[in-house]
Amino acid sequence: MNEVPQPIDQHKSEISDNFKFILYKLYEEVNLTPEQKEIVDKEPVDVLIKYIDLTDKNLNRTGIKQIQKDEDNEELRYSVRSILKYIPWVRKIFILMPNEKVKYFKPYDEIKDKIVYVKDKDVLGYESANIYAFTFNLFRLEKFGLANNFIYMDDDFFIGKEIEKSEFFYYDEKEKRVVPCLLNNIFSVINRELTLANYWSVFKTKDTLAPQCFMAWILSLYSTQKFFVDHFKDQTLIKPTPTHNAISYNIQDLKEIYELVVNNYEYANETLNSIERHILTLQTQHFVDLFELNVKKRKVHTIPSNVIPMNLLKMVYMNVKLFAINTGGDKIYTEEEYRNQRELMQKRFPVPTPYEIVENDEKPPEPKKPKEEKKSEEEIVQDNQKIIQNNEEINQMIEEQKSLIQ
């Protein structure tokens, strides 16, 4: 058995100022001609949202331990409002879910021209609680009418400002087709030695990790990067910073990715076809970004975005083109925090869509505004620092875990 590489000083992997110009030569920013933009504007684009209503008493997924919730904060309602308000050029909205319906939308016959329901089981052929099994198989929604180019979102992802179709997609002259943009430009060159060392250091603890825990997510991230290091050995690889917001996908590219994983990954079946999330599954969105950037050489267009922890949610942080309200991790949120989220979503997106159930067809009442003292500039700065600190604490947790297992 090969000796497990030892972790090395991460500072040694940083790119020197003299080398940064090489990084910028490894990708290209989108710069469309008027003719190319016209082609993109004519391209049909859908939105696909993965959703589950855990308050649904009729939800019964065979072979899956069912979690029940008493309340649904209705993020999907406001996500759809944001889509129709700020990217109205979207052709249809597909909702992939195990439920039979969305309880606050009108009967399906009245909305199906714009909103399409697709059952989880109809995509995979079986019930699954593994989000990565679904996202690696999204190309299968082609048979349900999903457009070749689409935007993938979770139900807590939102569109915060007007965005043009050509910010998500561009026309590739070589391939003669419309393809996805990479939506950020925060990249770094992959250090192969460090990537393998990081992977093996966490891999040693895999039998102690629960599939949904934070370090399991880190192992999934490292597994994805290791896949590219192992299979593209003669290539300088660059990695984008993992994102948690809307992303542009292409069905043809997803088919190629599926075949790449099937034919080259030891744990392909656990990644693509499992009922529960496996500890060594690959991470879809990061894999797609690495594939598009390093294999397809896709161009980059940065869309300002924000990921907001729910307990720090404020209106000012929702004033970007893309944002997500993050309720992940092990944190237990209070009823006051959930109520604050509902009120801010209603304030941010107050106008119902034609597809919602609204009593007397009237605009729903505005929620009561929480009493809030006007914050000073210093307090606003402190709030921003809390969000930055949240990310720093995550990085610190990773380093602490590494030191414990060495």
Side-chain angles (χ1 to χ4, degrees):
M1 183 174 177
N2 293 334
E3 183 179 353
V4 176
Q6 294 302 308
I8 62 176
D9 184 357
Q10 188 160 355
H11 293 291
K12 293 180 181 178
S13 71
E14 293 179 357
I15 305 168
S16 68
D17 290 337
N18 294 331
F19 188 60
K20 283 185 178 178
F21 77 96
I22 297 178
L23 178 61
Y24 293 120
K25 296 297 182 183
L26 293 176
Y27 69 88
E28 184 179 353
E29 294 187 356
V30 173
N31 186 17
L32 297 181
T33 65
E35 293 77 17
Q36 291 170 335
K37 187 177 184 305
E38 184 178 356
I39 294 173
V40 173
D41 287 340
K42 291 179 180 179
E43 178 78 8
V45 171
D46 293 330
V47 167
L48 172 61
I49 303 174
K50 184 70 178 76
Y51 171 69
I52 182 171
D53 178 6
L54 292 173
T55 68
D56 184 357
K57 303 300 182 184
N58 297 317
L59 181 61
N60 183 19
R61 296 183 290 173
T62 305
I64 296 175
K65 184 179 179 181
Q66 189 58 55
I67 299 171
Q68 285 287 344
K69 288 187 176 181
D70 295 327
E71 288 191 50
D72 175 13
N73 248 25
E74 301 189 355
E75 288 99 338
L76 179 63
R77 179 197 294 273
Y78 298 99
S79 180
V80 170
R81 288 185 186 184
S82 77
I83 291 165
L84 295 178
K85 178 176 176 63
Y86 291 119
I87 51 172
W89 41 261
V90 163
R91 188 188 63 155
K92 292 187 177 184
I93 299 172
F94 285 73
I95 300 177
L96 178 61
M97 61 181 179
N99 308 90
E100 294 294 334
K101 63 180 182 178
V102 180
K103 60 189 176 186
Y104 39 79
F105 286 164
K106 293 178 179 178
Y108 187 57
D109 285 345
E110 298 180 29
I111 66 173
K112 63 182 181 180
D113 288 341
K114 189 66 176 182
I115 297 178
V116 180
Y117 293 162
V118 180
K119 290 292 293 295
D120 282 1
K121 189 175 180 179
D122 293 337
V123 176
L124 297 179
Y126 56 89
E127 305 280 7
S128 178
N130 180 7
I131 182 61
Y132 296 129
F134 286 108
T135 48
F136 271 108
N137 281 275
L138 292 179
F139 66 89
R140 300 187 189 279
L141 275 87
E142 184 178 28
K143 67 181 180 182
F144 297 97
L146 182 67
N148 188 49
N149 285 300
F150 64 96
I151 299 166
Y152 177 77
M153 300 173 62
D154 290 344
D155 64 336
D156 55 1
F157 291 1
F158 304 88
I159 312 296
K161 291 185 177 182
E162 290 184 3
I163 306 178
E164 295 189 36
K165 194 182 297 186
S166 55
E167 295 184 71
F168 283 104
F169 302 92
Y170 70 97
Y171 182 74
D172 188 289
E173 288 289 354
K174 293 181 180 178
E175 298 188 47
K176 302 299 180 186
R177 65 187 179 105
V178 176
V179 296
C181 304
L182 270 293
L183 301 183
N184 71 65
N185 64 354
I186 305 174
F187 304 126
S188 60
V189 173
I190 291 181
N191 182 306
R192 294 172 183 271
E193 184 183 8
L194 178 63
T195 297
L196 294 174
N198 284 340
Y199 171 81
W200 288 114
S201 68
V202 183
F203 180 85
K204 291 187 298 184
T205 70
K206 66 180 177 62
D207 294 335
T208 68
L209 301 178
Q212 302 289 343
C213 76
F214 176 75
M215 287 308 297
W217 181 85
I218 291 296
L219 179 56
S220 176
L221 191 74
Y222 289 160
S223 298
T224 304
Q225 294 172 8
K226 181 178 180 293
F227 179 96
F228 280 82
V229 167
D230 288 344
H231 292 89
F232 298 95
K233 295 180 179 179
D234 299 325
Q235 181 177 335
T236 300
L237 299 170
I238 52 178
K239 61 179 178 182
T241 301
T243 57
H244 187 65
N245 261 301
I247 184 172
S248 46
Y249 279 165
N250 175 273
I251 283 180
Q252 184 174 326
D253 291 355
L254 292 178
K255 289 178 180 179
E256 292 183 38
I257 287 169
Y258 185 90
E259 291 300 319
L260 183 63
V261 174
V262 164
N263 295 322
N264 296 282
Y265 189 48
E266 180 180 0
Y267 301 97
N269 192 58
E270 289 83 353
T271 296
L272 305 173
N273 302 303
S274 62
I275 294 177
E276 301 285 350
R277 186 184 301 183
H278 190 271
I279 200 71
L280 291 171
T281 189
L282 299 173
Q283 197 175 99
T284 313
Q285 186 165 341
H286 195 46
F287 193 102
V288 173
D289 281 348
L290 288 166
F291 176 84
E292 298 287 16
L293 196 57
N294 294 285
V295 180
K296 288 299 195 180
K297 309 297 184 185
R298 294 285 184 240
K299 296 181 180 180
V300 171
H301 176 78
T302 303
I303 297 181
S305 62
N306 208 350
V307 180
I308 315 163
M310 193 179 76
N311 57 313
L312 297 176
L313 185 61
K314 297 186 185 301
M315 188 64 68
V316 64
Y317 305 138
M318 303 161 78
N319 193 31
V320 289
K321 287 190 172 184
L322 300 175
F323 68 90
I325 300 175
N326 187 16
T327 55
D330 299 326
K331 178 175 173 56
I332 298 175
Y333 296 94
T334 66
E335 175 53 37
E336 182 180 356
E337 288 169 338
Y338 278 111
R339 184 170 60 251
N340 179 60
Q341 181 196 12
R342 289 192 296 270
E343 292 175 348
L344 285 177
M345 288 190 301
Q346 172 63 27
K347 185 176 179 181
R348 186 67 175 82
F349 307 108
V351 181
T353 71
Y355 313 103
E356 297 177 40
I357 297 173
V358 180
E359 292 185 8
N360 301 321
D361 290 328
E362 293 180 356
K363 177 180 174 181
E366 290 280 352
K368 294 181 180 179
K369 294 182 179 179
K371 294 181 180 179
E372 189 173 304
E373 296 180 3
K374 187 175 181 181
K375 290 183 176 289
S376 66
E377 290 186 9
E378 182 180 353
E379 289 173 319
I380 293 173
V381 169
Q382 288 174 352
D383 283 343
N384 284 324
Q385 289 173 340
K386 286 181 182 178
I387 292 181
I388 295 172
Q389 183 182 359
N390 186 64
N391 292 329
E392 291 175 345
E393 288 174 354
I394 291 174
N395 291 330
Q396 183 180 355
M397 187 187 306
I398 296 171
E399 295 304 319
E400 289 175 352
Q401 290 290 331
K402 287 181 183 178
S403 65
L404 289 173
I405 59 182
Q406 288 179 20

